[in-house]
């Protein structure tokens, strides 16, 4: 793994090989986001393509489909092994579900067996928590850990797009909450699902693992991917 400090913030990923799990979902957008940092993007579909990576991104999509395909392509067990051994991983939306240790409402197959995850993050997630596709929404979030992007006016909020996004219902003692969607004023709600009385956790970090409920790759928000790169380099 490369841990040389990044001299040029615009090329913070230079010299790194960042894999994107390319079984299903918006992996192409994540490849472009990784390459925009100066990293080499690697589409991962086979176990041997995990070798030599500095980090891995698990994209948004259908968590159940990615789970099934990972097992069909003999990727699930190697992924669990790499994650357990400390490979830095960023999971976005479905990727957050697949990194979770527990799912509050797992899908089941025809035999009644619940979907599986790769694990690593001591969290419980709820799938499609903000509603279905037609209830997708956008909002601005205060996001911890982005001090590297501060200007004279401070750190700008992250503009987040939620598309059938999960939220986190439980975090373990070693998990840091990075961002939450606050309860909405009924007269000024930016999202379809009422959130009475409680903020909803939508971004977390634990060690070398990062996860968000939302899709920074679809809005041109580069700082979440840059945070992940800086985590790999030991700069965040």
């Amino acid at each position: 793994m490369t841990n040389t400090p990044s001299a040029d913030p615009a090329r913070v990923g230079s010299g790194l090989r960042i894999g994107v799990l390319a079984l299903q979902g918006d992996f192409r957008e994540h490849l472009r986001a990784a390459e925009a940092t100066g990293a080499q993007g690697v589409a991962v579909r086979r176990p041997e393509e995990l070798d030599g990576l500095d980090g891995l991104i698990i994209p948004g999509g259908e968590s159940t489909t990615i789970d099934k395909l990972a097992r069909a392509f003999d990727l699930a067990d190697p992924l669990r092994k790499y994650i357990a051994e400390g490979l830095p991983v960023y999971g976005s939306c479905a990727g957050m579900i697949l990194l979770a240790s527990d799912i509050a409402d797992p899908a089941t197959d025809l035999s009644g067996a619940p979907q599986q995850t790769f694990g690593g993050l001591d969290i419980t997630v709820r799938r499609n928590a903000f509603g279905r596709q037609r209830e997708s929404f956008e909002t601005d979030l205060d996001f911890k850990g982005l001090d590297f992007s501060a200007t004279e006016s401070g750190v700008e909020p992250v503009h987040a797009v939620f598309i059938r996004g999960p939220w986190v219902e439980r975090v373990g003692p070693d998990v840091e909450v990075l961002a939450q969607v606050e309860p909405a004023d009924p007269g000024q709600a930016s999202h379809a699902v009422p959130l009475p009385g409680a903020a909803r956790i939508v971004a977390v970090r634990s060690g070398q693992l990062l996860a968000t409920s939302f899709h920074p790759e679809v809005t041109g928000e580069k700082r979440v991917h840059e945070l992940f790169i800086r985590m790999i380099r030991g700069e965040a």
Side-chain angles (χ1 to χ4, degrees), residues 64-152:
T64 52
T65 301
I66 296 173
D67 164 35
K68 291 174 183 176
L69 290 174
R71 285 184 274 157
F73 282 79
D74 295 322
L75 268 165
D77 286 339
L79 277 168
R80 293 188 185 99
K81 177 176 180 290
Y82 272 98
I83 292 169
E85 292 177 349
L87 177 70
V89 182
Y90 166 43
S92 168
C93 197
M96 170 184 271
I97 296 169
L98 289 160
L99 284 177
S101 57
D102 297 293
I103 303 175
D105 56 341
T108 55
D109 62 20
L110 293 177
S111 70
Q115 70 182 99
Q116 299 179 21
T117 72
F118 308 135
L121 278 173
D122 183 13
I123 60 174
T124 299
V125 297
R126 183 170 295 278
R127 302 178 312 118
N128 303 326
F130 288 104
R132 307 303 295 180
Q133 189 85 16
R134 66 179 178 271
E135 293 157 338
S136 301
F137 68 96
E138 303 179 25
T139 192
D140 289 336
L141 300 173
D142 291 328
F143 197 110
K144 296 180 182 177
L146 302 183
D147 294 344
F148 58 83
S149 69
T151 65
E152 290 183 358

